[in-house]
Amino acid sequence: FAFLFLHSLVGGIYGNLHSNTYLEKYWNLGKTIQKYIPRNQSEKSNYTLSTFRGNGSGHVVTRNHRKTLRNQNHIEIDISKLNEVVSINHAEKTIIVESGCSMETLIDVALENGLLPKILPELKDITVGGAIAGGGVETSSYKYGLFNEICKSIYILCGDGSIRHCRRDSAEFRDLFGALPGSYGTLGIILCAEIECNDAKPMVNLNVKSFKSIG
């Protein structure tokens, strides 16, 4: 049973993540949620779910609110370890990065490998998951759009403990993929995302134009 459940939980994920280390990490998060799901469909499942980081920070609830929730049927998911760059595909020019990874880390790793994300938010502490689920309106591009629009695929942990791989070019879970931007964590926990990049060039062509008036 355990093997079948694990297979259904991470179905399709192994080929892209390349490492059992990440599978085990995501599997353990899923098991935390699974403990609260009734085995019998006739039973009602009444719980709330929020995320936090190991240092007590997080966007979902304040510390005082968290203390109140702990007295209720509430699940807290520690996402502090979702902060790594998983893999780099030079041929596809994509990087799979976990949701808690900062833009500073993403850009540093990308540049080391001759790549650069198509959109660069101007604040280095913004996380990848935050830029997707929060809308990422800090920086946009007339050519590529918002940050979430350079996400080729997203792995999300849903409220039932299952992991779903949502892809832009796949009909499966396409509605979930399209609804994630700006959802603020209401649809699940973003585990990692596949980010599209361009080749990083040593020089940037900059044109400056001046105008005498705004008319």
Side-chain angles (χ1 to χ4, degrees):
F1 172 79
F3 172 78
L4 292 176
F5 178 71
L6 174 61
H7 185 270
S8 64
L9 184 68
V10 299
I13 199 173
Y14 182 78
N16 287 325
L17 295 189
H18 308 298
S19 172
N20 284 323
T21 302
Y22 298 102
L23 291 177
E24 183 178 0
K25 185 193 302 187
Y26 304 155
W27 158 246
N28 287 333
L29 290 177
K31 286 196 298 183
T32 301
I33 297 176
Q34 283 285 333
K35 292 189 299 184
Y36 291 83
I37 298 177
R39 296 292 181 178
N40 191 328
Q41 292 185 354
S42 62
E43 299 178 15
K44 291 185 178 181
S45 179
N46 183 23
Y47 65 86
T48 57
L49 174 67
S50 69
T51 61
F52 75 102
R53 296 166 191 164
N55 59 6
S57 64
H59 294 298
V60 180
V61 290
T62 64
R63 291 184 179 180
N64 290 333
H65 191 194
R66 183 175 290 122
K67 291 178 181 178
T68 302
L69 290 173
R70 281 173 178 164
N71 297 324
Q72 303 173 7
N73 197 12
H74 178 69
I75 311 172
E76 287 186 320
I77 303 297
D78 185 354
I79 59 172
S80 59
K81 294 183 179 180
L82 297 179
N83 58 2
E84 299 182 59
V85 174
V86 178
S87 66
I88 301 172
N89 188 324
H90 290 89
E92 296 290 334
K93 297 181 183 178
T94 59
I95 299 177
I96 297 180
V97 59
E98 292 184 319
S99 60
C101 185
S102 68
M103 292 297 166
E104 182 179 29
T105 299
L106 170 60
I107 292 170
D108 285 346
V109 173
L111 287 174
E112 290 174 1
N113 289 271
L115 299 172
L116 199 61
K118 291 180 177 179
I119 295 176
L120 305 175
E122 73 275 17
L123 300 178
K124 65 180 182 179
D125 293 328
I126 294 175
T127 62
V128 170
I132 298 171
V137 296
E138 291 86 359
T139 298
S140 60
S141 165
Y142 77 94
K143 187 174 183 179
Y144 300 114
L146 298 173
F147 182 82
N148 62 270
E149 294 179 283
I150 66 168
C151 297
K152 190 175 181 179
S153 68
I154 299 172
Y155 295 88
I156 183 169
L157 176 62
C158 297
D160 60 355
S162 64
I163 296 175
R164 297 181 182 177
H165 184 198
C166 312
R167 296 183 58 86
R168 182 200 302 150
D169 58 0
S170 174
E172 187 177 24
F173 308 132
R174 180 177 293 170
D175 54 345
L176 181 57
F177 181 87
L180 279 174
S183 62
Y184 294 94
T186 57
L187 301 178
I189 301 170
I190 296 175
L191 299 171
C192 58
E194 186 178 8
I195 308 300
E196 295 177 332
C197 300
N198 288 326
D199 291 322
K201 299 180 180 180
M203 303 293 289
V204 175
N205 184 20
L206 178 64
N207 293 315
V208 179
K209 294 184 179 181
S210 60
F211 299 87
K212 294 181 178 180
S213 69
I214 62 174

